[in-house]
């Protein structure tokens, strides 16, 4: 199993550009999550999904959108990128809630 | 909503010594408390977790204790090794936070050989 994979690893965007961060898991997990990690701030939940077709907002959803058309994929869309979205983004998955989350390697995004 | 605080933010210990990281949470309904280790350039990885019906859990050199009355939980690492150097995150999860996992800000642990 590859676990949770994320692409790209690094990306530089200009203000106002859009992009999609890809996330795929091959563990048949129901739950998937997107977090952002700012220096010294821990992990903040952006969006999460409890299954295909179901998504919900986390702590910091503004400026982002998600979709979950399959069990495996959970892409995160940034519209109109802003410098405040400069961060490291982690995708994670778990089989059930209140259980271990498996994290991908992260995407480092810089908005200039 | 839930708030998780974590102390210290940085911790430096000599190899072989013990390390203790402490967390507090605000939501008395929280019932799942995982600890994650993040090595440089990687995603976090679960090292141990504890549920609210248990006061202590141990796995080799790692132990976690939970005091529900005081809303405290702690990570204890004994006989530290250089490979224990990483950032450690505590977290809490409860139904009143719509099952979201709330993470603490992290502790950067350095083990000096």
């Amino acid at each position: 199993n590859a676990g949770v994979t994320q692409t790209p690893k690094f990306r530089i965007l200009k203000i106002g550009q859009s992009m999609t961060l890809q996330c795929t898991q091959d563990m048949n997990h129901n739950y998937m999550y997107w977090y952002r990690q700012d220096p010294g701030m821990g992990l903040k939940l952006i969006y999460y999904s409890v299954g295909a077709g179901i998504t919900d907002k986390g702590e910091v959803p503004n400026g982002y959108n998600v979709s979950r058309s399959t069990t495996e994929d959970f892409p995160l869309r940034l519209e109109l990128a802003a410098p405040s979205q400069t961060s490291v983004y982690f995708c994670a998955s778990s089989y059930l809630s209140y259980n271990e989350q498996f994290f991908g390697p992260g995407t480092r995004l810089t908005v200039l | 909503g839930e708030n998780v605080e974590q102390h210290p933010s940085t911790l430096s210990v000599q190899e072989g010594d013990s390390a203790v990281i402490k967390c507090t949470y605000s939501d008395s309904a929280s019932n799942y408390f995982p600890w994650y280790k993040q090595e440089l350039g990687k995603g976090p990885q679960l090292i141990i977790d504890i549920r609210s019906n248990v006061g202590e859990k141990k796995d080799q050199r790692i132990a976690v204790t939970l005091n529900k009355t005081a809303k405290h939980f702690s990570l204890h690492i004994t006989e530290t090794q250089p490979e224990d150097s990483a950032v450690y995150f505590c977290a809490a999860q409860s139904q009143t936070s719509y099952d979201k996992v709330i993470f603490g800000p992290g502790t950067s642990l350095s083990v000096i050989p």
Side-chain angles (χ1 to χ4, degrees):
Chain A
N1 287 351
V4 179
T5 56
Q6 292 182 238
T7 56
K9 286 187 168 51
F10 304 93
R11 184 72 185 269
I12 298 175
L13 283 182
K14 294 183 179 178
I15 294 172
Q17 287 185 320
S18 300
M19 78 165 293
T20 298
L21 282 68
Q22 301 292 344
C23 175
T24 299
Q25 55 92 8
D26 63 358
M27 296 174 282
N28 200 31
H29 284 172
N30 298 312
Y31 291 74
M32 295 189 74
Y33 315 84
W34 273 107
Y35 293 92
R36 59 176 288 171
Q37 183 176 34
D38 300 322
M41 297 296 291
L43 293 148
K44 297 293 185 184
L45 183 65
I46 305 171
Y47 270 95
Y48 68 105
S49 169
V50 303
I54 306 169
T55 63
D56 209 345
K57 295 178 180 177
E59 300 170 87
V60 290
N62 291 344
Y64 307 95
N65 274 302
V66 294
S67 59
R68 182 99 182 266
S69 56
T70 67
T71 299
E72 295 77 22
D73 300 307
F74 190 40
L76 177 71
R77 178 82 178 162
L78 278 72
E79 305 281 1
L80 299 174
S84 60
Q85 293 178 306
T86 294
S87 189
V88 180
Y89 291 84
F90 288 100
C91 179
S93 72
S94 65
Y95 184 61
L96 296 171
S97 190
Y98 296 86
N99 271 266
E100 177 179 7
Q101 292 186 16
F102 294 83
F103 284 80
T107 294
R108 184 175 295 275
L109 175 68
T110 302
V111 182
L112 300 174
Chain B
E2 175 68 282
N3 182 50
V4 177
E5 297 184 355
Q6 184 172 348
H7 299 281
S9 57
T10 59
L11 179 59
S12 206
V13 300
Q14 290 291 135
E15 182 177 357
D17 286 350
S18 295
V20 180
I21 301 170
K22 298 182 178 182
C23 290
T24 61
Y25 60 98
S26 60
D27 186 351
S28 56
S30 289
N31 54 12
Y32 177 61
F33 305 92
W35 286 89
Y36 286 84
K37 175 184 180 182
Q38 186 178 27
E39 296 176 347
L40 197 61
K42 296 184 178 180
Q45 187 171 13
L46 183 80
I47 55 171
I48 195 167
D49 57 11
I50 191 167
R51 299 182 191 273
S52 59
N53 58 347
V54 175
E56 184 173 359
K57 185 176 179 180
K58 192 172 181 180
D59 183 4
Q60 298 183 357
R61 297 186 296 109
I62 294 172
V64 58
T65 58
L66 172 64
N67 182 331
K68 287 192 298 180
T69 303
K71 291 189 275 188
H72 289 173
F73 58 115
S74 300
L75 179 72
H76 304 252
I77 306 174
T78 59
E79 301 172 13
T80 54
Q81 300 166 5
E83 51 266 38
D84 294 329
S85 296
V87 179
Y88 292 81
F89 294 98
C90 62
Q93 188 173 6
S94 81
Q95 291 179 329
T96 55
S97 295
Y98 302 97
D99 296 339
K100 301 184 187 74
V101 176
I102 306 300
F103 285 84
T107 296
S108 178
L109 173 64
S110 297
V111 179
I112 304 164

